[in-house]
PDB file of all heavy atoms in Angstrom:
ATOM      1  N   SER A 538     -13.792  -8.418 -77.362  1.00  0.00           N
ATOM      2  CA  SER A 538     -12.762  -7.536 -77.893  1.00  0.00           C
ATOM      3  C   SER A 538     -11.400  -8.202 -78.001  1.00  0.00           C
ATOM      4  O   SER A 538     -10.455  -7.590 -78.512  1.00  0.00           O
ATOM      5  CB  SER A 538     -12.659  -6.276 -77.024  1.00  0.00           C
ATOM      6  OG  SER A 538     -12.378  -6.609 -75.675  1.00  0.00           O
ATOM      7  N   GLY A 558      -9.316  -7.233 -68.216  1.00  0.00           N
ATOM      8  CA  GLY A 558     -10.250  -6.350 -68.904  1.00  0.00           C
ATOM      9  C   GLY A 558     -10.613  -6.789 -70.297  1.00  0.00           C
ATOM     10  O   GLY A 558      -9.742  -7.110 -71.109  1.00  0.00           O
ATOM     11  N   ILE A 559     -11.907  -6.834 -70.579  1.00  0.00           N
ATOM     12  CA  ILE A 559     -12.410  -7.243 -71.887  1.00  0.00           C
ATOM     13  C   ILE A 559     -13.795  -6.632 -72.076  1.00  0.00           C
ATOM     14  O   ILE A 559     -14.472  -6.268 -71.093  1.00  0.00           O
ATOM     15  CB  ILE A 559     -12.475  -8.786 -71.985  1.00  0.00           C
ATOM     16  CG1 ILE A 559     -12.577  -9.253 -73.441  1.00  0.00           C
ATOM     17  CG2 ILE A 559     -13.616  -9.345 -71.140  1.00  0.00           C
ATOM     18  CD1 ILE A 559     -12.368 -10.755 -73.609  1.00  0.00           C
ATOM     19  N   ILE A 560     -14.218  -6.495 -73.322  1.00  0.00           N
ATOM     20  CA  ILE A 560     -15.582  -6.112 -73.653  1.00  0.00           C
ATOM     21  C   ILE A 560     -16.221  -7.289 -74.361  1.00  0.00           C
ATOM     22  O   ILE A 560     -15.589  -7.898 -75.254  1.00  0.00           O
ATOM     23  CB  ILE A 560     -15.606  -4.864 -74.563  1.00  0.00           C
ATOM     24  CG1 ILE A 560     -14.994  -3.667 -73.830  1.00  0.00           C
ATOM     25  CG2 ILE A 560     -17.031  -4.528 -75.003  1.00  0.00           C
ATOM     26  CD1 ILE A 560     -14.777  -2.449 -74.706  1.00  0.00           C
ATOM     27  N   GLU A 730      -9.473   1.939 -60.989  1.00  0.00           N
ATOM     28  CA  GLU A 730      -8.535   1.664 -62.082  1.00  0.00           C
ATOM     29  C   GLU A 730      -9.224   0.924 -63.220  1.00  0.00           C
ATOM     30  O   GLU A 730      -8.948   1.188 -64.402  1.00  0.00           O
ATOM     31  CB  GLU A 730      -7.361   0.848 -61.557  1.00  0.00           C
ATOM     32  CG  GLU A 730      -6.305   0.556 -62.603  1.00  0.00           C
ATOM     33  CD  GLU A 730      -5.177  -0.296 -62.066  1.00  0.00           C
ATOM     34  OE1 GLU A 730      -5.411  -1.064 -61.104  1.00  0.00           O
ATOM     35  OE2 GLU A 730      -4.057  -0.213 -62.602  1.00  0.00           O
ATOM     36  N   ALA A 731     -10.131   0.000 -62.880  1.00  0.00           N
ATOM     37  CA  ALA A 731     -10.859  -0.743 -63.912  1.00  0.00           C
ATOM     38  C   ALA A 731     -11.683   0.200 -64.780  1.00  0.00           C
ATOM     39  O   ALA A 731     -11.697   0.073 -66.013  1.00  0.00           O
ATOM     40  CB  ALA A 731     -11.757  -1.794 -63.260  1.00  0.00           C
ATOM     41  N   TYR A 732     -12.377   1.152 -64.149  1.00  0.00           N
ATOM     42  CA  TYR A 732     -13.156   2.128 -64.918  1.00  0.00           C
ATOM     43  C   TYR A 732     -12.236   3.024 -65.745  1.00  0.00           C
ATOM     44  O   TYR A 732     -12.522   3.315 -66.916  1.00  0.00           O
ATOM     45  CB  TYR A 732     -13.994   2.995 -63.971  1.00  0.00           C
ATOM     46  CG  TYR A 732     -15.323   2.378 -63.594  1.00  0.00           C
ATOM     47  CD1 TYR A 732     -15.539   1.866 -62.319  1.00  0.00           C
ATOM     48  CD2 TYR A 732     -16.363   2.321 -64.517  1.00  0.00           C
ATOM     49  CE1 TYR A 732     -16.770   1.304 -61.969  1.00  0.00           C
ATOM     50  CE2 TYR A 732     -17.596   1.762 -64.174  1.00  0.00           C
ATOM     51  CZ  TYR A 732     -17.784   1.257 -62.903  1.00  0.00           C
ATOM     52  OH  TYR A 732     -18.999   0.691 -62.566  1.00  0.00           O
ATOM     53  N   ARG A 733     -11.132   3.462 -65.156  1.00  0.00           N
ATOM     54  CA  ARG A 733     -10.215   4.357 -65.862  1.00  0.00           C
ATOM     55  C   ARG A 733      -9.647   3.671 -67.114  1.00  0.00           C
ATOM     56  O   ARG A 733      -9.602   4.271 -68.200  1.00  0.00           O
ATOM     57  CB  ARG A 733      -9.099   4.791 -64.912  1.00  0.00           C
ATOM     58  CG  ARG A 733      -8.143   5.808 -65.516  1.00  0.00           C
ATOM     59  CD  ARG A 733      -7.272   6.437 -64.439  1.00  0.00           C
ATOM     60  NE  ARG A 733      -6.511   5.446 -63.692  1.00  0.00           N
ATOM     61  CZ  ARG A 733      -6.728   5.156 -62.410  1.00  0.00           C
ATOM     62  NH1 ARG A 733      -7.686   5.768 -61.737  1.00  0.00           N
ATOM     63  NH2 ARG A 733      -5.985   4.265 -61.788  1.00  0.00           N
ATOM     64  N   ASP A 734      -9.249   2.411 -66.954  1.00  0.00           N
ATOM     65  CA  ASP A 734      -8.700   1.682 -68.102  1.00  0.00           C
ATOM     66  C   ASP A 734      -9.755   1.470 -69.183  1.00  0.00           C
ATOM     67  O   ASP A 734      -9.458   1.539 -70.382  1.00  0.00           O
ATOM     68  CB  ASP A 734      -8.132   0.341 -67.654  1.00  0.00           C
ATOM     69  CG  ASP A 734      -6.826   0.482 -66.882  1.00  0.00           C
ATOM     70  OD1 ASP A 734      -6.267   1.604 -66.866  1.00  0.00           O
ATOM     71  OD2 ASP A 734      -6.368  -0.515 -66.300  1.00  0.00           O
ATOM     72  N   PHE A 735     -10.986   1.224 -68.758  1.00  0.00           N
ATOM     73  CA  PHE A 735     -12.065   1.045 -69.743  1.00  0.00           C
ATOM     74  C   PHE A 735     -12.283   2.339 -70.527  1.00  0.00           C
ATOM     75  O   PHE A 735     -12.324   2.331 -71.771  1.00  0.00           O
ATOM     76  CB  PHE A 735     -13.348   0.616 -69.032  1.00  0.00           C
ATOM     77  CG  PHE A 735     -14.574   0.678 -69.902  1.00  0.00           C
ATOM     78  CD1 PHE A 735     -14.672  -0.092 -71.051  1.00  0.00           C
ATOM     79  CD2 PHE A 735     -15.632   1.521 -69.581  1.00  0.00           C
ATOM     80  CE1 PHE A 735     -15.806  -0.028 -71.865  1.00  0.00           C
ATOM     81  CE2 PHE A 735     -16.755   1.593 -70.374  1.00  0.00           C
ATOM     82  CZ  PHE A 735     -16.838   0.814 -71.525  1.00  0.00           C
ATOM     83  N   PHE A 736     -12.419   3.454 -69.829  1.00  0.00           N
ATOM     84  CA  PHE A 736     -12.688   4.719 -70.512  1.00  0.00           C
ATOM     85  C   PHE A 736     -11.498   5.190 -71.355  1.00  0.00           C
ATOM     86  O   PHE A 736     -11.664   5.956 -72.299  1.00  0.00           O
ATOM     87  CB  PHE A 736     -13.099   5.791 -69.508  1.00  0.00           C
ATOM     88  CG  PHE A 736     -14.479   5.577 -68.946  1.00  0.00           C
ATOM     89  CD1 PHE A 736     -14.676   5.414 -67.575  1.00  0.00           C
ATOM     90  CD2 PHE A 736     -15.579   5.521 -69.787  1.00  0.00           C
ATOM     91  CE1 PHE A 736     -15.950   5.212 -67.057  1.00  0.00           C
ATOM     92  CE2 PHE A 736     -16.860   5.313 -69.279  1.00  0.00           C
ATOM     93  CZ  PHE A 736     -17.043   5.159 -67.919  1.00  0.00           C
ATOM     94  N   ASN A 737     -10.313   4.685 -71.028  1.00  0.00           N
ATOM     95  CA  ASN A 737      -9.130   5.002 -71.829  1.00  0.00           C
ATOM     96  C   ASN A 737      -8.932   4.041 -73.003  1.00  0.00           C
ATOM     97  O   ASN A 737      -7.920   4.124 -73.706  1.00  0.00           O
ATOM     98  CB  ASN A 737      -7.880   5.008 -70.952  1.00  0.00           C
ATOM     99  CG  ASN A 737      -7.812   6.231 -70.047  1.00  0.00           C
ATOM    100  OD1 ASN A 737      -8.409   7.264 -70.350  1.00  0.00           O
ATOM    101  ND2 ASN A 737      -7.097   6.114 -68.935  1.00  0.00           N
ATOM    102  N   GLY A 738      -9.886   3.135 -73.199  1.00  0.00           N
ATOM    103  CA  GLY A 738      -9.852   2.251 -74.358  1.00  0.00           C
ATOM    104  C   GLY A 738      -8.925   1.064 -74.253  1.00  0.00           C
ATOM    105  O   GLY A 738      -8.637   0.400 -75.272  1.00  0.00           O
ATOM    106  N   LYS A 739      -8.480   0.716 -73.038  1.00  0.00           N
ATOM    107  CA  LYS A 739      -7.504  -0.368 -72.896  1.00  0.00           C
ATOM    108  C   LYS A 739      -8.117  -1.762 -73.062  1.00  0.00           C
ATOM    109  O   LYS A 739      -7.382  -2.745 -73.162  1.00  0.00           O
ATOM    110  CB  LYS A 739      -6.800  -0.259 -71.542  1.00  0.00           C
ATOM    111  CG  LYS A 739      -5.886   0.945 -71.433  1.00  0.00           C
ATOM    112  CD  LYS A 739      -5.074   0.924 -70.147  1.00  0.00           C
ATOM    113  CE  LYS A 739      -4.106   2.094 -70.090  1.00  0.00           C
ATOM    114  NZ  LYS A 739      -3.272   2.077 -68.858  1.00  0.00           N
ATOM    115  N   TYR A 740      -9.448  -1.858 -73.058  1.00  0.00           N
ATOM    116  CA  TYR A 740     -10.083  -3.170 -73.218  1.00  0.00           C
ATOM    117  C   TYR A 740     -10.311  -3.515 -74.683  1.00  0.00           C
ATOM    118  O   TYR A 740     -10.795  -4.608 -74.992  1.00  0.00           O
ATOM    119  CB  TYR A 740     -11.420  -3.225 -72.476  1.00  0.00           C
ATOM    120  CG  TYR A 740     -11.336  -3.028 -70.971  1.00  0.00           C
ATOM    121  CD1 TYR A 740     -12.490  -2.944 -70.212  1.00  0.00           C
ATOM    122  CD2 TYR A 740     -10.118  -2.913 -70.322  1.00  0.00           C
ATOM    123  CE1 TYR A 740     -12.441  -2.764 -68.847  1.00  0.00           C
ATOM    124  CE2 TYR A 740     -10.047  -2.732 -68.952  1.00  0.00           C
ATOM    125  CZ  TYR A 740     -11.204  -2.652 -68.217  1.00  0.00           C
ATOM    126  OH  TYR A 740     -11.149  -2.473 -66.858  1.00  0.00           O
ATOM    127  N   GLY A 741      -9.987  -2.602 -75.586  1.00  0.00           N
ATOM    128  CA  GLY A 741     -10.160  -2.859 -77.001  1.00  0.00           C
ATOM    129  C   GLY A 741     -11.601  -2.660 -77.463  1.00  0.00           C
ATOM    130  O   GLY A 741     -12.434  -2.103 -76.737  1.00  0.00           O
ATOM    131  N   GLN A 742     -11.891  -3.139 -78.653  1.00  0.00           N
ATOM    132  CA  GLN A 742     -13.226  -3.030 -79.226  1.00  0.00           C
ATOM    133  C   GLN A 742     -13.620  -4.348 -79.880  1.00  0.00           C
ATOM    134  O   GLN A 742     -12.752  -5.100 -80.362  1.00  0.00           O
ATOM    135  CB  GLN A 742     -13.275  -1.920 -80.282  1.00  0.00           C
ATOM    136  CG  GLN A 742     -13.140  -0.520 -79.729  1.00  0.00           C
ATOM    137  CD  GLN A 742     -13.289   0.531 -80.811  1.00  0.00           C
ATOM    138  OE1 GLN A 742     -13.018   0.283 -81.982  1.00  0.00           O
ATOM    139  NE2 GLN A 742     -13.745   1.717 -80.444  1.00  0.00           N
ATOM    140  N   ILE A 743     -14.898  -4.608 -79.910  1.00  0.00           N
ATOM    141  CA  ILE A 743     -15.398  -5.795 -80.601  1.00  0.00           C
ATOM    142  C   ILE A 743     -15.457  -5.504 -82.102  1.00  0.00           C
ATOM    143  O   ILE A 743     -15.981  -4.473 -82.512  1.00  0.00           O
ATOM    144  CB  ILE A 743     -16.800  -6.183 -80.089  1.00  0.00           C
ATOM    145  CG1 ILE A 743     -16.740  -6.565 -78.615  1.00  0.00           C
ATOM    146  CG2 ILE A 743     -17.371  -7.331 -80.920  1.00  0.00           C
ATOM    147  CD1 ILE A 743     -18.095  -6.826 -77.991  1.00  0.00           C
TER     148      ILE A 743
END
Side-chain angles (χ1 to χ4, degrees):
S538 58
I559 197 169
I560 297 171
E730 182 182 26
Y732 275 107
R733 184 167 57 248
D734 287 350
F735 168 61
F736 288 121
N737 287 336
K739 291 187 177 182
Y740 298 174
Q742 291 184 334
I743 297 174

